Amino acid sequence: MPLNRRTFLGRSAAAGAGVAMAGGVVAGQAGAAERGGHGSGHGGGRAKRYSFTVMGTTDLHGNVFNWDYFTDKEYDDSAHNDIGLAKISTLVNEIREDRGRGNTLLIDAGDTIQGTQLSYYYAKVDPITARRGPVHPMAQAMNAIGYDAAALGNHEFNYGIPVLRKFEEQCDFPLLGANALDAKSLRPAFAPYVIKRLRTPFGRDVRVAVLGLTNPGIAIWDKANVSGKMVFPGLEEQAAKWVPKLRSMGADVVVVSAHSGSSGTSSYGDQLPYVENAAGLVAEQVPGIDAILVGHAHAEIPEYFVTNAETGRRVVLSEPAKWGQRLTLFDFDVVWERGRWAVEKVGARVLNSNAAVEDRKVVRLLEDEHAKVVAYVNQVIGTSVAAMSTVDAPWKDEPLIDLINHVQAETVRAALAGGEFSGLPVLSQASCFSRTAAIPAGEVTIKDAAGLYPFENTLEARVITGAQLKDYLEYSAKYYVRTAAGVPVDTSKLTNAEGTPDYNYDAVSGVTYDVDVAQPVGSRIVGLSFEGAAVDPAARFVLAVNNYRASGGGNFPHVPGAEQVWANSDEIRNTIIQWVRARGSVDPAEFASVGWRLTREGVPVF
């Protein structure tokens, strides 16, 4: 049966394998019959050596099966990656068979319970928090596979703390977050660490500490869910606090599971005094760490070494992409010296899950849940007069993005009707979240509408001025690579300048403007107009904006500090679904228009 946090801690102590201390877990590792296979050593005065493997996943985002619920077919991409825990399980089983289960650990670096319609269904449609509610599919799968620990990701907080706590209760392993603190006591709100004991052939266990760190951006991105309840200090600060403690408690090896990229960059600018992607900084600044499982950035980093500034020792980092596409292997060789185990060598690599078949045990375990969600996403909610897609949306004003903006503006306008702000023009922002989103001509299903908005964002209304709107659009336009007039335009090289993701380019409806990509960043918005007249810098507008952007996500100017005049707790995705249901038919003629275009020195690019 699923174990809650209290029974997990109690079970460890009662079993005599270890005791809980300092909010963490010390637990024994079984596998006596397998111990000798991976370990090695010699008598007669020769050094005792032992080898073990720590496996890692990250950013699973609700993917159990190699299935795309937004297209309702097997997942595939241009690189022919596969996804899902069912395939990861097969890889894990192969490594355990090769190394001996008792010589392996399995951990995760966060973002587990958000991202697919499978995870959404059991948070919102048939919620795990209901009385006699179901067990979350991710908890079921991870329990069956046998995870030892998982760090918290920022998306764990998207559905609110009650859903996260219920998921934690359903897991047979601890959720770790050394820098997720109770806002009042400033004590850890989750277990900071777990210490696992690996039994060697020499009668002396290797004690492996796993320290979990999450992302400080939670305080911005999920402000509505965590404000006044939890705070999230920087990773470097908390690692510097906990790693020495783990060493003093007898940890021979310290592995950090960090939901934080390795680049040292942040998407929230100076809104917090912490770095978003801090894993590399942790390795460089905090002595005593042997390896870091990296998450959050959705990058594939098989093996990356960072030299610690204080000790000169190399720390190995690895990030296994996303969604269960890869499995990281940290292979450790330790040697017994001076009365303790010391790391002699550690390296990392990743395995590709597209080489694995899905584990039938996991498939059978969750086939009913999968079937329920497939039936749910295929519910017909209306019809469409024409087919629409987002293939060209990153560089053209496309009807599908207009649909999002139209629904958002209409929703805000209705909410403000008759009130103090009802006389202000309503604008709306939207991004191209997926270049493969589409609504077909004919029947429209939940999966079609949901595919436009894969994130759990909610809708707000903020008041901004014309001058602030201009700044906002200039910032958004940094998304384009500067391209001189007359030079051939290659759309594959036109967007995502300086690594700006698609979801951080906003198109704003309700005004018209050109984006001159031949100009430098900050001087690209031309002809910004409202109802045919140039926008007055002092004019006031209501901007319909998602909560991620309103909270500072992407570090767009002005909006986070702007007056909030309305907010909704329902996801924008559901607002779109309800809008289609209410009308029964989607006709681009009702909402599609060309409000913005790319130009070079006044000449349209397309």
Side-chain angles (χ1 to χ4, degrees):
M1 63 179 284
L3 301 172
N4 61 30
R5 184 174 176 226
R6 180 174 299 172
T7 54
F8 184 91
L9 298 175
R11 181 185 66 175
S12 299
V19 295
M21 58 182 67
V25 182
V26 181
Q29 175 69 22
E34 307 154 329
R35 289 193 301 271
H38 199 40
S40 63
H42 305 276
R46 299 182 66 179
K48 299 180 177 67
R49 285 182 167 82
Y50 174 73
S51 300
F52 66 94
T53 298
V54 177
M55 299 175 282
T57 55
T58 192
D59 295 278
L60 293 168
H61 283 288
N63 286 287
V64 173
F65 302 102
N66 188 44
W67 195 260
D68 185 344
Y69 293 96
F70 293 122
T71 61
D72 195 28
K73 61 184 180 182
E74 184 174 321
Y75 177 85
D76 194 23
D77 62 17
S78 58
H80 301 297
N81 288 301
D82 285 354
I83 60 175
L85 276 171
K87 283 179 170 273
I88 289 295
S89 182
T90 296
L91 295 179
V92 168
N93 290 338
E94 290 173 354
I95 296 301
R96 285 172 173 164
E97 183 177 357
D98 179 65
R99 270 54 161 185
R101 181 170 184 134
N103 305 310
T104 66
L105 297 173
L106 176 60
I107 63 177
D108 183 81
D111 275 6
T112 305
I113 59 171
Q114 177 278 338
T116 65
Q117 286 293 286
L118 179 71
S119 53
Y120 176 81
Y121 187 90
Y122 288 98
K124 291 287 190 176
V125 181
D126 185 11
I128 61 174
T129 49
R131 186 171 179 265
R132 297 179 181 175
V135 177
H136 199 288
M138 294 301 288
Q140 292 191 59
M142 295 173 81
N143 289 343
I145 296 168
Y147 274 78
D148 293 287
L152 295 165
N154 54 284
H155 283 288
E156 259 65 82
F157 294 85
N158 285 175
Y159 298 118
I161 292 174
V163 170
L164 175 54
R165 286 299 189 192
K166 188 64 178 181
F167 174 70
E168 179 189 29
E169 178 184 320
Q170 293 177 340
C171 291
D172 291 349
F173 51 90
L175 301 184
L176 306 178
N179 61 327
L181 310 181
D182 179 85
K184 294 180 179 178
S185 69
L186 298 183
R187 294 174 62 86
F190 295 84
Y193 64 88
V194 64
I195 296 179
K196 306 293 290 188
R197 294 179 180 267
L198 300 179
R199 297 175 185 171
T200 75
F202 313 108
R204 297 181 182 274
D205 295 348
V206 175
R207 290 162 292 189
V208 182
V210 181
L211 178 69
L213 297 169
T214 192
N215 206 289
I218 295 166
I220 292 176
W221 305 322
D222 267 302
K223 181 178 180 180
N225 290 328
V226 301
S227 182
K229 300 173 184 176
M230 293 184 191
V231 294
F232 303 88
L235 284 83
E236 309 99 303
E237 168 194 324
Q238 293 300 302
K241 172 183 176 180
W242 284 101
V243 171
K245 288 185 178 182
L246 295 173
R247 291 294 185 180
S248 69
M249 292 164 58
D252 301 300
V253 177
V254 174
V255 178
V256 174
S257 184
H259 192 76
S260 180
S262 62
S263 65
T265 61
S266 287
S267 66
Y268 43 69
D270 58 2
Q271 296 178 71
L272 288 175
Y274 313 121
V275 176
E276 176 182 351
N277 295 303
L281 297 175
V282 171
E284 181 183 23
Q285 297 177 13
V286 181
I289 297 169
D290 297 298
I292 301 180
L293 177 66
V294 179
H296 183 62
H298 291 200
E300 181 178 346
I301 304 174
E303 181 181 62
Y304 172 53
F305 287 96
V306 173
T307 300
N308 184 265
E310 181 175 327
T311 66
R313 291 180 61 88
R314 296 202 309 168
V315 181
V316 63
L317 284 69
S318 180
E319 183 173 5
K322 62 182 179 181
W323 304 351
Q325 293 175 351
R326 306 288 186 271
L327 175 70
T328 280
L329 304 182
F330 291 109
D331 289 316
F332 287 87
D333 295 331
V334 295
V335 60
W336 182 260
E337 58 184 23
R338 298 186 181 90
R340 60 180 293 273
W341 291 106
V343 175
E344 186 174 50
K345 180 182 177 183
V346 57
R349 60 191 177 99
V350 296
L351 302 181
N352 194 330
S353 69
N354 69 9
V357 298
E358 292 189 324
D359 185 344
R360 288 300 305 166
K361 179 180 73 173
V362 175
V363 171
R364 287 193 298 269
L365 179 69
L366 292 166
E367 58 189 357
D368 289 345
E369 286 84 348
H370 174 71
K372 286 181 182 178
V373 176
V374 167
Y376 165 74
V377 301
N378 280 289
Q379 291 180 37
V380 175
I381 56 174
T383 60
S384 177
V385 172
M388 296 175 280
S389 82
T390 56
V391 172
D392 295 330
W395 47 84
K396 290 183 182 179
D397 188 348
E398 288 289 288
L400 263 189
I401 306 301
D402 290 340
L403 174 59
I404 297 173
N405 274 326
H406 179 76
V407 172
Q408 291 182 163
E410 186 177 280
T411 301
V412 168
R413 213 174 279 118
L416 298 180
E420 177 184 356
F421 300 95
S422 60
L424 294 182
V426 176
L427 314 179
S428 178
Q429 62 79 222
S431 302
C432 177
F433 293 122
S434 167
R435 298 189 184 194
T436 60
I439 284 182
E443 291 186 340
V444 178
T445 63
I446 284 178
K447 73 173 185 289
D448 298 325
L452 297 181
Y453 224 105
F455 298 106
E456 273 60 58
N457 295 342
T458 58
L459 187 61
E460 298 187 14
R462 302 273 180 134
V463 177
I464 61 173
T465 66
Q468 291 173 332
L469 172 64
K470 173 72 158 45
D471 289 347
Y472 187 98
L473 291 171
E474 289 285 8
Y475 182 86
S476 182
K478 72 183 180 66
Y479 171 73
Y480 294 105
V481 175
R482 190 176 184 182
T483 308
V487 174
V489 175
D490 180 351
T491 56
S492 69
K493 299 177 181 178
L494 179 63
T495 62
N496 309 104
E498 298 182 2
T500 303
D502 290 350
Y503 61 77
N504 274 344
Y505 173 66
D506 286 359
V508 173
S509 72
V511 289
T512 58
Y513 57 95
D514 290 345
V515 181
D516 190 334
V517 296
Q519 301 304 314
V521 170
S523 302
R524 292 179 167 180
I525 302 303
V526 180
L528 178 60
S529 303
F530 173 70
E531 294 185 344
V535 167
D536 182 348
R540 299 170 77 217
F541 300 90
V542 172
L543 179 66
V545 58
N546 68 57
N547 69 302
Y548 173 79
R549 191 71 79 234
S551 297
N555 200 30
F556 277 62
H558 305 305
V559 171
E563 180 182 6
Q564 182 194 78
V565 295
W566 178 81
N568 187 14
S569 61
D570 202 11
E571 291 91 354
I572 293 170
R573 173 199 297 132
N574 282 343
T575 303
I576 295 170
I577 291 170
Q578 291 159 10
W579 186 91
V580 174
R581 272 186 167 142
R583 278 149 188 80
S585 177
V586 178
D587 185 352
E590 296 179 3
F591 53 80
S593 64
V594 179
W596 64 273
R597 60 181 183 169
L598 298 188
T599 61
R600 290 182 294 182
E601 298 180 0
V603 179
V605 175
F606 302 104

